[in-house]
Amino acid sequence: LVSMLSLISLLCLVTVPPVGALEAGDEAPDFALPSLTGDGTVELARYRGKLVYLDFWASWCAPCLTAIPEIEKLRRELPADRFQVIAVNLDQKTRKALRFLEKNPIGYPSASDPEGRLPTRFGVDTMPTSYLIDEDGVIRLVHRGFKRGDGEELRREIQALLNPRSGGSGG
């Protein structure tokens, strides 16, 4: 009985999003944060009209090491005119994040948020956490954590949003 209750408790923790966390169907809050590399700002509004994959990461996050090369691969494969990846780094020391990216280069912008204000607005409680945001700024998918094989699942989700089945002739 005790092990059954433990299992039920564990399942509840896994399947219930944190209170106040943004979920599919919620509007993604706009933001402008300094670029991790120090060259300008990273702004969500700049990519309105594209499908955006917003990824919260940190150099100390082991699953991020798995996620970042997969995300970069997706970015290279998908049409740049319709799909954009944006990252938000949460390291308190920028140099640690930059060192991480030297070993794991990316071709998409990464913002720096050492105070963690943006993850609080989104309700991030797991690293990494990513949000798939549609062309109108609505969150379509929340992906918490990252393990091998998640890249394929994300590719299917992204392609489904990029290539919806047409329900008839638009006029």
Side-chain angles (χ1 to χ4, degrees):
L1 181 63
V2 171
S3 61
M4 181 68 107
L5 290 175
S6 296
L7 178 62
I8 292 170
S9 297
L10 180 62
L11 288 173
C12 288
L13 288 174
V14 170
T15 58
V16 177
V19 175
L22 295 178
E23 291 298 324
D26 292 335
E27 189 166 332
D30 275 332
F31 64 87
L33 289 169
S35 168
L36 183 59
T37 56
D39 56 347
T41 59
V42 177
E43 302 171 36
L44 180 59
R46 184 179 301 160
Y47 303 104
R48 187 63 59 104
K50 289 186 179 186
L51 184 62
V52 174
Y53 185 84
L54 174 63
D55 183 50
F56 289 91
W57 72 282
S59 65
W60 45 261
C61 161
C64 296
L65 189 58
T66 302
I68 285 177
E70 290 284 327
I71 295 165
E72 175 61 11
K73 184 178 175 188
L74 282 171
R75 182 201 63 84
R76 287 192 314 263
E77 292 173 3
L78 295 165
D81 61 329
R82 299 182 56 215
F83 179 72
Q84 177 68 45
V85 177
I86 303 174
V88 176
N89 176 265
L90 305 180
D91 281 285
Q92 291 185 342
K93 297 188 183 206
T94 304
R95 71 179 183 276
K96 288 184 178 183
L98 292 172
R99 213 171 319 144
F100 181 95
L101 291 179
E102 282 176 19
K103 296 175 188 165
N104 305 281
I106 59 174
Y108 51 88
S110 185
S112 179
D113 188 7
E115 291 86 29
R117 291 190 182 114
L118 192 59
T120 300
R121 287 176 65 194
F122 275 80
V124 172
D125 69 337
T126 301
M127 289 297 288
T129 294
S130 301
Y131 298 83
L132 200 50
I133 303 167
D134 73 13
E135 297 85 349
D136 298 317
V138 176
I139 297 168
R140 300 296 295 270
L141 175 78
V142 180
H143 190 261
R144 292 178 176 85
F146 203 96
K147 62 189 180 315
R148 294 205 188 289
D150 283 2
E152 274 308 309
E153 175 189 330
L154 288 169
R155 179 179 285 101
R156 284 191 297 274
E157 294 281 350
I158 292 166
Q159 287 175 332
L161 289 169
L162 288 174
N163 306 307
R165 292 183 195 151
S166 54
S169 60

